[in-house]
Every structure is written in structure tokens, then in C-alpha cells.
Amino acid sequence: MVEVFAVVRLRAMELITILNRCHRFRGFVYHRTRFSPDHKSIEVSVRPRKGSAAICSRCHQPAPGYDQLAERSFEFIPFWGYLVFLLYAMRRVECPRCQAVVVEEVPWGDGKRTLTKAYMLFLARWARRLSWKETAAAFRTSWEKVFDAVEHVVTFGLEHRTLGAIDAIGVDEIQYGKGHKYLTLVYQIDLDVTRLLWVGKERTIQSFQGFFTLIGDEIAAKIVFVCSDMWEPYLKVVREKCSQALHILDRFHIVAKMNKALDEVRAGESRRMARDGMAPLLKKSRWLLLKREENLQTEQRFRLRDLLRYNLKTVRAYLLKEAFQQLWDYNSPAWAGKFLDEWCRQVMRSRIEPMKKIARSLRQHRQLILNYFWAQKQLSSGVVEGLNNKAKVTMRKSYGFRTFRALELALYHSLGKLPEPESTHDFF
Ligand SMILES: [Zn+2]
């Protein structure tokens, strides 16, 4: 009695039973499982259920059969160190609606790819945690197949996402690849939804306009806030497409620009001092000067204090940069404006060219900077910076991304909050 019971339990756990539990489709049955001749993979043959008509892949309706193609394999999720393949001979239908002989539609695959949909979703989910290269290695597949999987999931997500109303957007450029290649990223930065909406090639007027073509005039007209940096093509598009929105120069972009100017001053002065045979005071000072003082370790803080005693251009630029931070403490746009004007006046007298360049640029964009103070209670500040950092991490994880397309997919995949294709079972 006990033995019979054990046999039943074992039989109940046959592979087909498991597959029927997690990956079952109407109109098809799992027929037989076997090891491949080299014992490295498991092959599961699939057959149409008797009496069930094939579905035309063009009009998605049942149609009379025509013939059957040679058996092909669909890669399924690997199992205990074995690759798993579904083997199936696709039928062709003679579809009266389409008036053509068409290959049937199968629910587990998309006809073009060799991976099953379940496996693509599985790989794509892992590819969000690991780099694509690591994902391929972990599941003994290729980088190209991981690419296919992510492309499948992202394409589905973009087709099925709801754009809805958008209150606030942030536009940002990001550098990638070798040389000066740029992407334009547009984020939704509403208080309750932050996600990547758009990836455009380069950082031109056209790349940003592509986003407005996507959302259409009606949604664009209702955007309340736009955050951007001082990149002129973006400013121009915002003026055209979102003239009613409050346009804000993002704090993080201004700080980044300021740091860049300071770094330029330091590098120039450091070279000059070396040339003139002076003591290398500025050696290894880069991070001392660029980091916020409260983020320095004690020893670094002492070194910074020491450095600040010297009458160097770099030190003066540093103090100007530090003084500027006070701007963000203001609540009133009017007082912030007074402070900004006074700071720019001081800088223009400083004879430090990179800083003067910043001051000129800030004066030119004075209104957009002060808009920050009009909006600050209504926007989750720092959100563009956070998204930008995530985008950089995605890129860094991506040493295999040779093309714009791969990078675009990776960014949508990790930042787009896209809906996923439905699955018969949560394999991961
Ligand atoms: Zn048809």
C-alpha cells in the first residue's frame, strides 16, 4: 500500500505534470519528454490538441489547416542545470479572411524568436538585476538572446503603458560611448510617479521634439512644470511646446556646472604652478574641493582648511562656489533674486574666467533659476538627479552595450516602470 502511494506521488511529479501546472495552453498538449542525445538538455515535444484548430497569426482567428512545417525548438527556462526546449512542428493555415497561407500563432512564442515568452520574461527580469553579460553567463545563453528578451519585454511595455496626464517633466542629457555621443532622456517627475518616458538619440532640438510627438499636443498642453539644464536646444523646445508651463533650471544641473568650472580653475592653476616650479599645493585636492565639506573625512577636512589659507585662484573660486550654496536656502524668490544678483556681481569682479562664464550664464537665465523658488514646494526636488544617477548606473552595468538601441532598451527597462507581458506563472 505504501509503495503504491509512493509510485503515485512520483508519477504526479513528472515533468509534464509540472509543465501543465505552470505553462499550460489551450489547444496544445505536452506529449513526451526526453534527454537530448548528449544529455545536456531536456526536450519536450508539444502537439496540437486533437480537434483544435490552428490560429492564423495575421488575423488571430481560427482557420482551416494547410500543412505542417518541420519541427523546430523553442528555448524554455533552464531547469536544474539542463537546457529545456519545447519541440513543435508549426502548422500553416489557409486563412479565408487573410486570403493567404499563413503560419499559425503559438501562445508560448512569437514566431520570430527562438526563445519562449516565459523564458524572455525570465531573462529580462534578471537583466534588470545583473548586467546583460552576467545574465547570459548565468543561464548559459548569449548576450544577443538577452538583448532579444529585453527587447520583447520593453516593446510590449511601451505598447501597453498608459501615459495619462503628466504634471511635471525633467529633461536631461547623458553622455555615452566613446567621444561625444549624447542621449536625451525625458522623465516624468510628478509627486506620485517618477519614470523614464523617452529616450532620444543625441541632444538636439529634434531629439527633444520626438518626445512631444509621442505624447501629443493635448498632454503637452497640460504639463505644469518642466525641469531642464541650460542647454539651449532644450530651452528652445520648452518655449515652443510648453509655453504655459513653469520652466525651472534644475538645482543639480547648476551645481554640476559650478563644479566643472571650479575643476577647470584648479587644473589650470595646478599646471601653472608646476610650470613655475612652485610647491604642488593643489596636488590631490580635486575631491577636497568638489565634495561638500560635510561629506569629507576629518583628515580631508584638515587638509582643506590648510589649503584655504593660501591666496590661490582655486581657493577664491572654491569660496565663491560655497557661498553660492546659500541660494538654495531662500524661500522667497525675491530674496533669492537679490542674492543671485549680488553673487554674480562679486564673481564678475573676480578675474576668474571660468567662474565669470558661469555668472554670465546665470544672469542670462535668471528667471528660470528663480522659478525654482516658485515651484520648490510642489516638486520633489532632487528627483531628476536621482534618475540621472540610476541611468548612469544602468550604463555602467552595460559594458556590452555597443549600440544606441541596446542602451535605449536598457534604460527603458530599468527606469521606464513599464507593464510586463502576462505570464502563466511567476518563474522568477
Ligand atoms: Zn488570417
Side-chain angles (χ1 to χ4, degrees), residues 76-182:
F76 191 63
I77 299 163
F79 179 69
W80 287 351
Y82 297 106
L83 300 175
V84 179
F85 295 94
L86 307 184
L87 307 181
Y88 181 68
M90 310 270 279
R91 291 170 288 177
R92 290 201 297 175
V93 296
E94 191 162 23
C95 180
R97 261 167 284 327
C98 301
Q99 303 222 327
V101 172
V102 184
V103 179
E104 72 170 313
E105 180 175 271
V106 291
W108 60 83
D110 73 353
K112 281 167 248 123
R113 297 187 173 89
T114 58
L115 304 179
T116 53
K117 288 179 181 171
Y119 190 28
M120 287 196 277
L121 184 56
F122 178 89
L123 282 178
R125 283 182 177 173
W126 275 105
R128 209 182 268 133
R129 301 191 169 199
L130 308 173
S131 78
W132 293 9
K133 211 172 162 184
E134 286 163 333
T135 307
F139 300 101
R140 288 193 277 150
T141 186
S142 63
W143 187 91
E144 284 73 18
K145 284 187 178 169
V146 177
F147 174 99
D148 271 1
V150 176
E151 186 172 52
H152 165 75
V153 169
V154 168
T155 306
F156 176 93
L158 290 176
E159 279 167 9
H160 292 84
R161 71 175 169 179
T162 340
L163 288 173
I166 299 169
D167 287 340
I169 59 167
V171 54
D172 202 2
E173 76 229 40
I174 199 161
Q175 204 176 346
Y176 76 103
K178 285 185 188 123
H180 291 274
K181 284 199 223 164
Y182 287 92

Side-chain angles (χ1 to χ4, degrees), residues 17-63:
T17 312
I18 302 174
L19 279 167
N20 276 328
R21 193 59 74 75
C22 65
H23 196 249
R24 185 192 183 98
F25 296 105
R26 259 182 70 192
F28 299 91
V29 289
Y30 293 109
H31 178 61
R32 193 182 291 155
T33 60
R34 59 160 190 256
F35 276 109
S36 62
D38 62 4
H39 282 243
K40 285 189 175 152
S41 45
I42 297 171
E43 296 170 341
V44 183
S45 56
V46 182
R47 293 202 175 160
R49 189 178 289 281
K50 269 208 177 73
S52 72
I55 308 287
C56 166
S57 60
R58 215 177 280 171
C59 64
H60 313 291
Q61 300 294 323

Side-chain angles (χ1 to χ4, degrees), residues 355-412:
M355 297 304 282
K356 283 167 75 177
K357 205 171 136 201
I358 290 260
R360 276 193 291 270
S361 168
L362 294 180
R363 273 181 176 171
Q364 197 188 334
H365 300 106
R366 184 178 189 274
Q367 192 49 52
L368 301 186
I369 294 165
L370 295 183
N371 280 350
Y372 172 86
F373 299 92
W374 291 107
Q376 65 173 341
K377 296 287 182 293
Q378 295 155 78
L379 268 185
S380 36
S381 73
V383 63
V384 175
E385 182 175 16
L387 288 162
N388 181 282
N389 286 335
K390 276 192 196 163
K392 281 185 184 151
V393 170
T394 302
M395 283 206 305
R396 222 176 297 135
K397 271 207 306 202
S398 68
Y399 33 90
F401 295 169
R402 288 157 288 225
T403 61
F404 166 74
R405 178 66 178 152
L407 189 53
E408 180 189 28
L409 289 172
L411 289 166
Y412 277 128

Side-chain angles (χ1 to χ4, degrees), residues 295-353:
N295 297 333
L296 295 176
Q297 290 158 2
T298 316
E299 187 263 332
Q300 292 175 312
R301 210 167 289 172
F302 280 126
R303 282 183 52 209
L304 177 65
R305 299 255 168 87
D306 192 40
L307 183 62
L308 295 183
R309 291 185 296 128
Y310 293 92
N311 182 22
L312 295 170
K313 252 188 186 174
T314 308
V315 169
R316 293 202 305 277
Y318 173 82
L319 295 173
L320 287 169
K321 183 200 90 160
E322 284 298 293
F324 187 79
Q325 299 296 343
Q326 207 192 313
L327 175 71
W328 311 114
D329 298 336
Y330 285 96
N331 286 316
S332 132
W335 284 105
K338 281 198 169 79
F339 174 87
L340 183 63
D341 296 341
E342 180 50 36
W343 186 87
C344 289
R345 216 175 356 259
Q346 267 190 43
V347 172
M348 293 312 284
R349 287 195 304 251
S350 74
R351 277 178 287 166
I352 306 173
E353 196 42 50

